[in-house]
Amino acid sequence: MYPAERKLFFSKDGVVDQKQFVTDLAALRRRLQGAGSICNLFQDRYQFALGIVAGLLNRQAIILPPSLAPEAIRSSIADAPAPFILSDNPDHDALAARLPSEYGQSEQVESWDYAASLQDNPTEIRVYSSGSTKQPKCNVKTWKMLRGGAAITDKIIQDLDAQPTEVGLLGTTPHGHMYGLEATIFATLGFGHATYRDTIFYPADLEAAIEVARACGISKLVLITSPAHLRFLEAAILAAPEIICVLSATAPFPQTLAQKLAARENLKVMEIYGSTETGSMALRQTAFEEAWSLSAGFELKKAQATCLATAPHLPDPIALEDEIEQHPDGRFTLLGRAGDMVSVRGKRSQLAALNAILSEVAEISDGVFLHAKRGESDALAIAVVPHPGSSLSEAQIRSLVRRHLLLHLDAAFVPKKLLFLSEISRSATGKITHATTVDLLKKAGMLN
């Protein structure tokens, strides 16, 4: 149970403490009477968290669509009973009954331990996978499962040279997806760590968030982010001594970038491994180690051609989609997904490894390897996005990309075909959806 003055969320409008949270929670629960289920689209993390807890306490299933696209929302609520949409966007009125974040005056209520009453609450929280390898898949979670995954974030914070009450969390990743949901929302709801309410995307957003934290009495910050965001936030992070930890997930963290960040004084750089199915389950300091250490009570067991992950907060064992190598000390190394194996002229590599090396090319702002199975020897191409305003010609960029790849890869994995684009469409977590991959393969002439 947190004390009434415990800081839970902060923004330019000040701090929200436990007392304010339970007061607003009581008001929202009353406004949600009559809803059969809740589609939570609030972009403000405080409002979003209120929606999560209110729905759970009211025993109303909570739906977190894979994206904010109207069709994605419509599909996710298609079979939901009497859905209410929590949103401040009037465009959502066409999809279902909408409830905006207008709390008004509320009666003061005594602080009470909502977390204890939720530990065994069976109400569903429906979280969708990113759809990077197939169509987004609905995964049913509960309070216990999501709090269990957030235990990794709590462990990282506990191991920092700081008192947890002086630490704030800044998130660049969407809180409606698994990583952001656990590492920001449930790190706050389940463990009492203060989270910044607003969206961070550009370096100026990060700088503004640091100023807000300082004004709210929060002196040390953990940045919850991803490689897709780190590429353009790097300079701002290195210039901000308030950031004492960078936590990355959703895609492989390039080791060279991790090493560059970790070289800054008093900056710990961590990476989380997990999935929508398992939640956060392992961590490592990418700058210094390749192997992962299990956390949050997870164990791995070999089962025929796969590996099963178990944890006290998960109801059933979950088969990992990645191939792993287990070590005697309990750690493991990722070998990649079977479907991501690239075989060219008898040589083998992983698509993730190729993309990690491509991401280090300084002359492009984004890039991805395109891969098509071709019998005994697969076909490869590369899509790249030059930096806006770059004075380099396509021929010069092509030469620089090939030179960099040949320094780190066998020539078999350096394709001649480079596709130049103005942008590569990515999800809010920085992933490329299956539909986008198919479109890029068609543009590269690798699919009919």
Side-chain angles (χ1 to χ4, degrees):
M1 177 64 188
Y2 312 129
E5 66 277 7
R6 181 67 173 259
K7 297 174 182 176
L8 296 183
F9 293 89
F10 63 99
S11 70
K12 63 181 183 301
D13 297 323
V15 168
V16 174
D17 58 19
Q18 170 76 1
K19 182 178 180 181
Q20 185 64 51
F21 185 88
V22 297
T23 299
D24 289 342
L25 178 62
L28 181 57
R29 289 188 68 188
R30 287 193 296 271
R31 295 179 69 211
L32 286 171
Q33 295 300 323
S37 57
I38 296 168
C39 181
N40 194 344
L41 303 182
F42 279 144
Q43 297 306 292
D44 180 309
R45 285 185 175 85
Y46 175 52
Q47 296 164 1
F48 180 89
L50 283 171
I52 292 286
V53 179
L56 292 176
L57 292 172
N58 285 359
R59 300 298 178 101
Q60 295 157 322
I62 298 163
I63 302 157
L64 308 179
S67 78
L68 295 177
E71 283 306 313
I73 298 169
R74 185 177 286 111
S75 176
S76 67
I77 64 175
D79 62 351
F84 274 28
I85 292 179
L86 300 185
S87 167
D88 287 321
N89 186 348
D91 291 344
H92 294 145
D93 289 340
L95 302 174
R98 181 176 66 90
L99 201 66
S101 57
E102 298 170 359
Y103 299 110
Q105 294 296 319
S106 303
E107 295 181 7
Q108 291 295 316
V109 298
E110 293 185 8
S111 291
W112 49 279
D113 193 353
Y114 57 83
S117 67
L118 290 174
Q119 182 59 22
D120 295 316
N121 187 306
T123 304
E124 292 184 358
I125 304 173
R126 302 177 189 175
V127 186
Y128 284 80
S129 60
S130 64
S132 57
T133 57
K134 47 196 169 186
Q135 290 299 313
K137 176 186 174 185
C138 178
N139 291 264
V140 175
K141 305 294 179 180
T142 62
W143 169 278
K144 180 180 179 180
M145 295 166 70
L146 292 169
R147 185 186 183 278
I152 286 187
T153 304
D154 178 62
K155 173 178 170 53
I156 291 169
I157 294 170
Q158 297 290 345
D159 290 343
L160 295 174
D161 184 20
Q163 292 298 317
T165 53
E166 65 181 350
V167 173
L169 307 180
L170 307 179
T172 72
T173 56
H175 47 272
H177 293 266
M178 195 64 181
Y179 169 49
L181 183 63
E182 287 184 338
T184 59
I185 303 301
F186 274 81
T188 294
L189 297 177
F191 296 94
H193 299 299
T195 288
Y196 183 61
R197 295 171 60 169
D198 299 327
T199 299
I200 296 173
F201 190 84
Y202 297 106
D205 299 330
L206 180 58
E207 292 162 1
I210 294 169
E211 288 296 321
V212 166
R214 189 181 297 117
C216 292
I218 296 171
S219 57
K220 299 182 179 181
L221 298 168
V222 176
L223 183 64
I224 312 295
T225 189
S226 69
H229 295 107
L230 282 170
R231 291 195 68 172
F232 53 85
L233 293 178
E234 176 189 332
I237 294 168
L238 292 174
E242 295 88 351
I243 299 176
I244 62 170
C245 180
V246 170
L247 180 55
S248 179
T250 74
F253 194 171
Q255 190 177 47
T256 53
L257 176 56
Q259 290 170 340
K260 187 172 182 180
L261 292 171
R264 202 210 76 187
E265 186 178 6
N266 297 324
L267 181 59
K268 193 171 187 178
V269 180
M270 305 293 297
E271 184 176 10
I272 282 180
Y273 170 76
S275 65
T276 308
E277 292 77 15
T278 62
S280 301
M281 60 177 284
L283 65 163
R284 68 179 179 181
Q285 293 193 65
T286 312
F288 312 113
E289 56 188 352
E290 182 181 5
W292 298 86
S293 298
L294 291 165
S295 188
F298 271 94
E299 294 182 358
L300 296 178
K301 298 177 182 177
K302 283 289 187 181
Q304 297 180 347
T306 188
C307 188
L308 298 177
T310 63
H313 59 277
L314 297 180
D316 300 298
I318 295 175
L320 300 185
E321 294 189 2
D322 289 302
E323 295 182 5
I324 67 167
E325 178 185 353
Q326 292 179 273
H327 304 310
D329 62 1
R331 299 188 301 163
F332 67 93
T333 302
L334 287 176
L335 302 178
R337 295 189 177 186
D340 285 347
M341 183 64 69
V342 179
S343 178
V344 180
R345 298 198 295 274
K347 302 180 187 296
R348 292 162 66 85
S349 185
Q350 286 286 339
L351 204 55
L354 300 181
N355 282 323
I357 292 170
L358 179 63
S359 72
E360 297 170 354
V361 179
E363 290 76 18
I364 62 174
S365 62
D366 199 2
V368 64
F369 269 82
L370 305 175
H371 172 222
K373 295 290 185 182
R374 289 283 192 275
E376 294 183 359
S377 187
D378 298 343
L380 288 174
I382 295 174
V384 298
V385 179
H387 279 292
S390 172
S391 61
L392 298 177
S393 67
E394 288 190 0
Q396 289 173 314
I397 293 174
R398 185 188 305 273
S399 176
L400 290 168
V401 169
R402 285 184 57 81
R403 188 183 311 162
H404 174 82
L405 295 180
L406 287 169
L407 283 174
H408 301 279
L409 296 172
D410 187 284
F413 301 110
V414 183
K416 294 181 180 179
K417 181 173 290 186
L418 262 70
L419 186 66
F420 287 86
L421 303 170
S422 59
E423 68 171 348
I424 296 174
S425 179
R426 291 181 179 267
S427 71
T429 57
K431 294 185 178 182
I432 299 175
T433 66
H434 177 68
T436 297
T437 298
V438 170
D439 182 58
L440 291 176
L441 287 170
K442 288 179 179 179
K443 288 180 178 178
M446 300 168 73
L447 280 183
N448 295 327

